[in-house]
Amino acid sequence: LALIVIFVAVGLGQSAAGHRVLSSLGLAASPQAYTALSFTEPLQLGKVGQYGPARVPVAFTVANRQHRTTSYRWQIRVGSSLRVSGRVTIAPGASANVEHRVLVPCRRPPYDRKTRHVKRIPPSRKQVSVLLTGYAQSIDFWEQCVG
Amino acid sequence: VSALPSLAGLALIAALVPLRSSWAAALALVILCLVVPGVIALRAVRVPTDAILRFPVYIVAASLFVIIAGGLLADLVGPSVGVARPLHGLATAFTVLGVSTVLWLIGLTSPDAARLPWSSLLRRPSLLLGLAVPALAAIGALLLTNGHGPVVARIGACVTVATLIGVVIFAHRLTRGQVALLLFAASLAAEWAFSIRSQEIVGFDISTEIHVAQHTQAVGIWHQLNRNNAYSAMLSLTVLPSTLAALTGLSPLIAFKVLFPAIAALFPLTAYFLGDRIVSPGFAAGAAALIIAQNYFFQLMPQLARQEIGLLFFAALLVAMLDVRLRRGPRLVLIVIFAAGLIVSHYSSAYLAIAAVVIAVVLHAVVGRFRDGLAVISLPWATAAVVLIGGAALWYGALTHSASNLSSFASSLNKSGLDLLPARNGNIVNSYLNGNLVQGVSATTFEQLAVEDYRSRSAYIQPLPQAGEPQYAVRDASVPTPATRLAPLGLLIKIVATAVDELMLVAGVIGAVILGVRRRGDLRARMIGLLSFATVAVLGVIRFSGTAAAAYNQQRALLQSLILLTVTAAWLAEAAVWRLKRAQLPVELGLVAALGVLFAYQSGLSALVVGGGTSLNLSQSGEDFERQYTTPAELAGATWATDASGRQLLYADRYGQLRLFASSGRLALTDVTPETIDRYAWIYGTRTNVVLGRTRGEIGNDSSLYAWPNRFLNDYFNVVYSNGDSKVYHR
């Protein structure tokens, strides 16, 4: 009899009602909910130095692991300046790719008319960030400005 | 007629297999599969019922052997009969049922004495009550994991300690079955309190083991994958989980978190069954309790799936070697079966067993010359030695080419010798206690050690020139812990726990010597003494030699030896207590209290009273939590890092690499310091690294806890992936 009671209880635990009871008791939980933000081509980031202001492609992927359809607001910033923002709605378990070109204001080395050469300036770099607002998540890369 | 219940059991398994996605059917199948094939196999071998009732561990060990053998048969034969992926579907389940049926037919001619009295065993449902203790521990672990606080987990830990103390005190009033069941309940509760934490695998080695098990099941065939890899060569991690999944529906993850700890929980019971023959029930229960109370049993074992299975076979092998009442034929067959099971389940346990059994055979021959009733050559022990050595050479050498750990040990031995107590410092006591343990070093020292290590081993690493700038110097870190409220009491508890541990070893060694060489005494007691002393000899080498300890973790070797050492310690303790007469009761109560203190200290329960950090079973923070607790988001990050980095250098800290192991089996460089990170590397950071800002590293016997090099990584690397619990960096 004891064995039968145990087996019946275990069997009921698997039913929808049983799962609700287990969840309400704190004994069952959905898998962890999270959102993954990544660059689509991480190997290509900042590999080519910019010789003056340039529109740089920024391609990223948002993966929704929140177990519900979610609308994400995203921003692309260069340094602290907002360049572009948008919204993407993603079904649970799905991913979305977003791609934009943003202006990276690298300084063009000045041309010296006397010597007819381009003046050398110190190399610099600009940080390009992608943020998911409301999720405190961001990714970023350094774009090199050639001196 | 007496053979029909076993056949009915097989029929029930066959009927339930198609329903195994149902939890109730899966539970029934787990119980049936751990019992029925074993009972049938033992009858086929003509092991009498009284031997099985003396040592019920035979049943589960024999069942596992049949399941592994059936799975292996399917794996080897499947492709030639058109089943390309035998480990992926039901082929292994049918093969196990087929093998069991053949064994049942062989057993039909066995005498009635070899048939289990099913009805009398099933008529005692009161035995099930004890299982409420592990159920409570499991509920506590689930609630804590799901964010509902540690209250039930703490109550569960208290009940577990109380159960263990209670069974030792009242063992003389309980039946043997009741004592065994309560010991099993406490043992399983202590293990589940750790293994059921987190939605993922918890622990070090098991992170690689789960990948091996899941990969084997997904690929569906084992014998084409196993070469040159010590983990993949273990059937306990490959064929067994896949076959269990086919038979019971349990995924490798659930099997490792729930079922394997239940199998390991049988290990301490063997000390009780062995001790029960030479000491009173209370001291025999105390022997098992001494094993259960060790954190390297209840916390470490659930992190070592292959050793959980290996130790059960080792326990069964010892029992068969010591079962002098069993006829020679069945005894030799059992020795061969269990030795083979040990070899294919865990290499390190097998190596220790080989050394111990060989020494024991020699001791047997020496003592046999001087003591009546003991033959010079014990055929069963010699058989065990031959099968273990021959089987290991065959399996690890010719068949799987997986003896790299042995050749690595031999190479270290040639290079460094035994390297006695490498970290010895101060007086002799301190050198003995801590001379071969990992010690903490500062972040700066650790980085220097790492740089030297990389210069000698990894000259291809090219750190950034800016890595040496002062602003990127590594800094020490610490884990916030609750304040200690009762420091003197905490110190006293620690001293008592350490003293109990060390006295247990001393008593075990003295007991083993006396039992082995004394003039009088029964044969079994003498054999226990000799085998116990043999394990002590091996243990001594591992305890003092840095080279041996690097090859086989001291605590794991000690645990394997405790199955005999606790018995000889209990025998000596009882012999001493009997001489005290008037003081007998207070001393016995003192021993039980010391056992309780040991268990409370090891399980982290005492920290709830005296303050300080608690372990993973009782809290959602702290050192243990930061090291071991894995989240699904961390595993997703690890998978992404592996895929994105391809064959390029990938770094993670010592515990971050576990997430890589679990998700993909990927190896990583584990010294995440600015001066050892290659300029083109990928770096994977866990929640502990990127959220809490702490990093852990270990080189040889030196470990360090330091701040995650956030500033350096942010200044010179791109953050290419983030999911809240983990990040990936690259440049």
Side-chain angles (χ1 to χ4, degrees):
Chain A
L1 185 63
L3 281 173
I4 290 170
V5 170
I6 290 170
F7 286 122
V8 169
V10 169
L12 287 176
Q14 197 178 8
S15 66
H19 195 77
R20 276 197 299 275
V21 171
L22 289 175
S23 295
S24 66
L25 292 173
L27 296 175
S30 303
Q32 183 191 12
Y34 63 92
T35 299
L37 176 62
S38 59
F39 286 114
T40 312
E41 298 286 344
L43 287 168
Q44 306 306 323
L45 300 170
K47 293 289 189 240
V48 181
Q50 302 301 335
Y51 193 80
R55 296 192 74 81
V56 172
V58 179
F60 61 93
T61 304
V62 183
N64 177 9
R65 303 292 178 264
Q66 298 282 348
H67 314 304
R68 59 184 162 77
T69 300
T70 306
S71 185
Y72 295 96
R73 286 176 60 83
W74 53 264
Q75 295 180 344
I76 301 178
R77 290 174 176 267
V78 177
S80 57
S81 307
L82 176 64
R83 286 285 187 270
V84 60
S85 64
R87 184 186 285 273
V88 59
T89 301
I90 308 173
S95 302
N97 293 327
V98 179
E99 185 167 355
H100 275 273
R101 284 184 173 269
V102 295
L103 179 68
V104 176
C106 284
R107 190 179 153 209
R108 187 184 299 279
Y111 180 72
D112 188 333
R113 295 187 177 203
K114 285 182 184 170
T115 60
R116 296 185 179 179
H117 286 293
V118 173
K119 275 187 179 175
R120 288 190 69 91
I121 57 172
S124 62
R125 57 185 192 162
K126 305 287 180 188
Q127 190 171 38
V128 181
S129 313
V130 178
L131 299 88
L132 285 185
T133 55
Y135 285 86
Q137 273 178 248
S138 65
I139 50 178
D140 55 66
F141 67 94
W142 292 101
E143 190 66 30
Q144 303 299 321
C145 300
V146 177
Chain B
V1 175
S2 57
L4 288 179
S6 306
L7 187 62
L10 276 186
L12 194 54
I13 292 174
L16 287 173
V17 163
L19 308 172
R20 65 195 190 286
S21 58
S22 149
W23 291 358
L27 177 64
L29 280 166
V30 166
I31 297 168
L32 287 167
C33 288
L34 289 181
V35 174
V36 175
V39 170
I40 289 172
L42 292 171
R43 196 178 64 229
V45 181
R46 283 151 174 74
V47 177
T49 303
D50 66 324
I52 299 173
L53 295 179
R54 275 200 308 277
F55 298 114
V57 68
Y58 281 151
I59 295 176
V60 180
S63 289
L64 287 175
F65 187 83
V66 173
I67 291 170
I68 290 174
L72 182 61
L73 187 64
D75 181 86
L76 296 174
V77 176
S80 57
V81 294
V83 184
R85 299 168 66 201
L87 297 180
H88 193 67
L90 283 172
T92 49
F94 293 136
T95 316
V96 171
L97 288 170
V99 170
S100 300
T101 307
V102 171
L103 289 170
W104 183 81
L105 290 170
I106 293 170
L108 280 178
T109 56
S110 66
D112 278 348
R115 285 171 186 173
L116 207 65
W118 288 98
S119 54
S120 66
L121 290 176
L122 292 173
R123 249 187 259 129
R124 297 161 71 182
S126 62
L127 291 177
L128 291 172
L129 282 176
L131 295 180
V133 182
L136 182 64
I139 289 170
L142 286 171
L143 289 173
L144 188 54
T145 296
N146 295 336
H148 298 284
V151 175
V152 178
R154 291 173 179 183
I155 293 171
C158 292
V159 171
T160 305
V161 173
T163 304
L164 196 68
I165 293 173
V167 72
V168 174
I169 293 175
F170 298 109
H172 62 286
R173 294 188 188 174
L174 302 171
T175 65
R176 206 163 164 264
Q178 287 168 329
V179 173
L181 188 96
L182 288 170
L183 286 171
F184 175 75
S187 178
L188 183 56
E191 287 191 280
W192 272 358
F194 283 90
S195 70
I196 293 180
R197 295 282 279 114
S198 167
Q199 294 177 350
E200 303 293 345
I201 280 298
V202 173
F204 209 101
D205 287 29
I206 202 167
S207 296
T208 305
E209 293 174 335
I210 189 68
H211 172 70
V212 170
Q214 288 172 337
H215 182 64
T216 307
Q217 191 191 16
V219 173
I221 191 140
W222 166 79
H223 71 271
Q224 293 166 1
L225 300 173
N226 67 341
R227 294 206 156 229
N228 306 316
N229 184 319
Y231 278 61
S232 299
M234 296 295 93
L235 299 184
S236 54
L237 303 179
T238 50
V239 168
L240 178 62
S242 294
T243 309
L244 281 172
L247 279 166
T248 67
L250 291 190
S251 67
L253 179 70
I254 300 297
F256 281 9
K257 285 178 82 72
V258 180
L259 179 59
F260 280 36
I263 292 168
L266 295 168
F267 178 72
L269 262 64
T270 312
Y272 168 70
F273 291 128
L274 286 173
D276 193 37
R277 304 283 132 185
I278 62 171
V279 293
S280 63
F283 278 88
L290 274 172
I291 300 176
I292 295 168
Q294 307 292 346
N295 70 350
Y296 49 81
F297 168 70
F298 58 76
Q299 187 172 5
L300 194 60
M301 263 311 97
Q303 302 178 15
L304 300 157
R306 64 199 190 287
Q307 190 160 12
E308 289 177 300
I309 304 301
L311 283 191
L312 185 76
F313 280 120
F314 177 69
L317 172 66
L318 287 182
V319 166
M321 287 171 67
L322 294 166
D323 197 353
V324 291
R325 285 168 61 184
L326 191 58
R327 282 191 304 114
R328 179 174 284 181
R331 193 174 167 201
L332 292 180
V333 175
L334 288 185
I335 285 171
V336 171
I337 285 173
F338 297 142
L342 171 60
I343 288 164
V344 300
S345 295
H346 186 217
Y347 42 86
S348 300
S349 299
Y351 292 143
L352 189 142
I354 289 169
V357 171
V358 168
I359 294 170
V361 168
V362 175
L363 287 174
H364 197 285
V366 172
V367 176
R369 293 178 69 89
F370 304 103
R371 292 287 176 258
D372 294 337
L374 194 69
V376 172
I377 298 293
S378 161
L379 182 62
W381 288 23
T383 304
V386 169
V387 173
L388 282 169
I389 294 169
L394 191 66
W395 190 259
Y396 306 133
L399 293 176
T400 64
H401 306 281
S402 60
S404 56
N405 37 24
L406 194 62
S407 51
S408 160
F409 170 65
S411 161
S412 301
L413 200 60
N414 267 338
K415 189 178 163 192
S416 317
L418 282 175
D419 193 17
L420 295 175
L421 294 177
R424 60 182 175 273
N425 187 19
N427 60 40
I428 190 167
V429 175
N430 189 50
S431 289
Y432 168 72
L433 290 176
N434 303 312
N436 206 2
L437 299 179
V438 172
Q439 56 180 356
V441 295
S442 72
T444 317
T445 307
F446 178 78
E447 189 171 39
Q448 285 166 357
L449 289 170
V451 168
E452 285 167 21
D453 189 40
Y454 277 45
R455 271 189 197 133
S456 61
R457 286 192 307 123
S458 314
Y460 53 88
I461 303 286
Q462 292 188 341
L464 284 163
Q466 298 88 343
E469 292 177 5
Q471 68 268 33
Y472 303 128
V474 287
R475 291 176 291 110
D476 289 327
S478 60
V479 179
T481 50
T484 306
R485 292 186 295 271
L486 302 165
L489 180 61
L491 183 63
L492 180 67
I493 289 172
K494 188 178 178 182
I495 290 171
V496 170
T498 307
V500 171
D501 265 347
E502 297 302 327
L503 285 174
M504 171 187 73
L505 292 181
V506 172
V509 175
I510 296 172
V513 173
I514 297 175
L515 274 174
V517 301
R518 68 181 175 158
R519 199 172 292 274
R520 285 174 295 178
D522 76 336
L523 181 59
R524 188 186 294 109
R526 190 183 301 287
M527 293 171 86
I528 288 175
L530 293 176
L531 257 177
S532 183
F533 190 75
T535 62
V536 168
V538 182
L539 205 56
V541 174
I542 296 173
R543 181 75 191 239
F544 290 100
S545 161
T547 308
Y552 189 18
N553 179 296
Q554 289 185 61
Q555 291 183 323
R556 286 157 61 184
L558 177 58
L559 175 65
Q560 192 174 347
S561 310
L562 282 188
I563 191 172
L564 292 164
L565 273 178
T566 54
V567 175
T568 52
W571 176 83
L572 187 75
E574 183 171 47
V577 166
W578 274 104
R579 290 171 189 273
L580 293 174
K581 294 182 181 162
R582 278 188 187 175
Q584 194 174 325
L585 185 63
V587 171
E588 282 181 345
L589 289 176
L591 288 175
V592 173
L595 174 71
V597 169
L598 174 70
F599 197 13
Y601 175 72
Q602 298 274 21
S603 63
L605 208 52
S606 64
L608 299 180
V609 178
V610 300
T614 51
S615 42
L616 185 63
N617 56 332
L618 299 173
S619 66
Q620 273 294 71
S621 62
E623 179 71 31
D624 210 20
F625 179 84
E626 290 185 14
R627 288 181 181 200
Q628 314 286 0
Y629 195 92
T630 304
T631 66
E634 285 181 323
L635 289 186
T639 303
W640 193 92
T642 302
D643 293 344
S645 61
R647 292 174 176 270
Q648 294 176 293
L649 293 175
L650 175 61
Y651 285 72
D653 85 338
R654 179 168 170 78
Y655 293 91
Q657 70 173 329
L658 304 188
R659 282 72 171 168
L660 295 168
F661 288 163
S663 61
S664 61
R666 170 75 191 261
L667 294 173
L669 295 165
T670 56
D671 304 309
V672 188
T673 74
E675 295 199 49
T676 48
I677 295 175
D678 184 81
R679 62 186 65 188
Y680 301 114
W682 296 74
I683 301 114
Y684 164 69
T686 64
R687 181 177 175 276
T688 298
N689 303 144
V690 301
V691 179
L692 303 178
R694 288 186 276 277
T695 322
R696 288 172 175 82
E698 192 171 307
I699 297 174
N701 273 345
D702 298 309
S703 74
S704 182
L705 172 60
Y706 57 98
W708 182 247
N710 215 26
R711 188 170 174 188
F712 176 75
L713 292 173
N714 285 339
D715 282 356
Y716 293 105
F717 284 78
N718 303 322
V719 178
V720 293
Y721 176 94
S722 167
N723 67 17
D725 268 4
S726 61
K727 282 184 182 177
V728 181
Y729 304 81
H730 181 55
R731 74 188 290 274

